[in-house]
Amino acid sequence: WAQERQRWLILHGHEEKEEQPVAPRMPTLAEFCERFIAEYAVANRLKPSTIENKKIIIRSYLVPTLGERALDTITEADVQRLKAAFADQAPASVNNMLTLLSTVLKAAIEWKVIAAMPTIRKLKQTQQRFDFYEDGPYDLLVAAARATDLRCLLVVLLGGDAGLRGGEIVALKLRHCDLRRGVIHVEENEWAGHVGTPKGNRSRQVVMTARLRMALSELAVAQADPEARIILRDDGTPASKRVVDCWLYRAQQAAGLAKKGPHILRHTFCSRLALRGATPKAIKELAGHVHSSTTDRYLHLAPSALRTAIDLLDGPRHAHVTGTNALN
């Protein structure tokens, strides 16, 4: 056997040891987040605004706190450390960080990078307050916008009478406005030059108020191209959201109102609907809310609904008492 072994070694040389496979190095959270953006956010065609928002949260919050941690070493204690690091932030902001961290780690599990993830518990949130215009100030704003410019008037009415978001106002075209039926088809939204679908990838229809229909009809007389944007600059080019905001600020200044962002008009639209007794489902559909919880913020402004609920208690009791008295 020794001689045969010697002969074999002379012919073939020493045997090479079989190399053991080397386990891949566990990526850090910062490293995996780069893959997450490319292979999850971009690959799933999330909106550009959504992708940018995720990048900001990763760059500003997750990476500075947990970026150097290997994915499989992130624990519940690290999650608590993240919460403590941003204790000065609003609960909603911290919950956005926690939601994204959870989504990143779930993707790592799905892609077989890690086997498990820590439990992530969000902070309790109180109901957020929001500003909106009462009827008096809103009427002042509409009057000031009408006296300033047709574009100012359309910006105010598209936000306050139709509930369009800022990006939806920027992207709105004449062909989206059915003046014969008095309906706006909200199908597009613009963010930083990117035109896509509205939030939640849902188009919707909004019935025009009489004054909005009149203002759009006035614009349609001067603008024959159905593909033209509703809001244009003086040189005829499409207006950006910043320009739209400036026209709103001009109307607010003329009305003697404090400078507020365009979302106050959307809050005003939903609030006025609730105050006039619109159903939650109607408000949700007209405003294009993705979640019912967003609509619920306006329900405390609907006294008619509360009164109807109390009448359900009062009515049968009144009938029972009347019937008892009749028997006596």
Side-chain angles (χ1 to χ4, degrees):
W1 178 86
Q3 290 174 346
E4 289 295 326
R5 182 66 177 162
Q6 183 182 34
R7 189 180 299 112
W8 191 94
L9 290 174
I10 292 171
L11 291 174
H12 302 287
H14 291 284
E15 292 179 310
E16 295 184 0
K17 291 185 177 179
E18 192 174 321
E19 293 186 3
Q20 296 295 325
V22 179
R25 185 180 67 85
M26 180 62 62
T28 64
L29 178 64
E31 292 168 342
F32 186 77
C33 280
E34 295 182 9
R35 178 184 175 187
F36 172 81
I37 290 296
E39 298 181 21
Y40 180 92
V42 175
N44 288 329
R45 303 184 183 183
L46 302 185
K47 290 181 176 297
S49 58
T50 302
I51 296 174
E52 183 61 27
N53 183 57
K54 292 184 185 301
K55 288 181 178 179
I56 291 172
I57 294 176
I58 289 170
R59 181 173 62 246
S60 303
Y61 303 106
L62 297 185
V63 168
T65 309
L66 304 175
E68 296 182 357
R69 300 280 293 177
L71 282 185
D72 60 349
T73 65
I74 296 176
T75 64
E76 281 83 356
D78 293 314
V79 176
Q80 291 304 113
R81 186 156 60 90
L82 177 66
K83 294 178 183 179
F86 301 102
D88 58 332
Q89 298 276 352
S93 299
V94 176
N95 284 342
N96 287 338
M97 304 174 205
L98 297 174
T99 298
L100 181 55
L101 176 61
S102 177
T103 304
V104 169
L105 295 178
K106 286 177 181 176
I109 292 175
E110 185 177 341
W111 297 342
K112 303 295 190 288
V113 178
I114 58 177
M117 60 180 281
T119 301
I120 299 177
R121 295 182 178 87
K122 295 182 182 179
L123 299 175
K124 291 184 178 180
Q125 290 181 229
T126 57
Q127 192 173 44
Q128 292 180 313
R129 297 177 61 86
F130 54 86
D131 292 330
F132 67 95
Y133 290 124
E134 302 278 359
D135 285 345
Y138 182 62
D139 289 341
L140 284 175
L141 182 65
V142 172
R146 181 180 288 109
T148 302
D149 188 290
L150 178 59
R151 291 171 300 186
C152 280
L153 178 62
L154 285 170
V155 166
V156 171
L157 293 181
L158 287 171
D161 273 26
L164 270 64
R165 301 177 178 91
E168 294 169 348
I169 294 175
V170 172
L172 189 67
K173 297 177 181 177
L174 199 59
R175 67 176 175 82
H176 296 141
C177 304
D178 186 343
L179 294 172
R180 184 179 63 83
R181 294 175 55 227
V183 174
I184 296 176
H185 300 274
V186 185
E187 300 174 353
E188 295 181 343
N189 180 78
E190 180 176 304
W191 178 84
H194 299 276
V195 177
T197 55
K199 190 173 182 179
N201 294 318
R202 294 175 56 197
S203 60
R204 66 185 188 278
Q205 295 184 2
V206 182
V207 178
M208 304 175 192
T209 60
R211 57 187 174 185
L212 175 56
R213 191 174 186 176
M214 187 178 300
L216 287 170
S217 298
E218 182 179 345
L219 177 73
V221 171
Q223 179 57 265
D225 183 7
E227 290 298 322
R229 296 276 182 92
I230 293 294
I231 308 298
L232 299 173
R233 303 174 191 260
D234 291 334
D235 60 3
T237 59
S240 65
K241 187 175 180 300
R242 180 175 296 181
V243 173
V244 169
D245 293 350
C246 288
W247 279 324
L248 172 59
Y249 299 152
R250 189 184 306 173
Q252 289 170 335
Q253 184 177 19
L257 300 172
K259 181 179 176 180
K260 298 284 186 180
H263 218 65
I264 191 174
L265 296 175
R266 186 167 161 81
H267 287 320
T268 298
F269 173 73
C270 296
S271 300
R272 293 174 71 225
L273 286 174
L275 285 166
R276 285 160 174 75
T279 64
K281 181 174 177 56
I283 297 174
K284 182 177 184 294
E285 292 300 320
L286 289 170
H289 290 153
V290 178
H291 304 291
S292 298
S293 58
T294 306
T295 309
D296 292 344
R297 296 185 298 168
Y298 303 96
L299 299 188
H300 71 283
L301 298 172
S304 59
L306 300 178
R307 190 177 302 111
T308 301
I310 295 300
D311 287 344
L312 294 175
L313 299 177
D314 204 20
R317 177 179 179 276
H318 178 72
H320 174 72
V321 171
T322 303
T324 302
N325 290 339
L327 290 174
N328 292 338

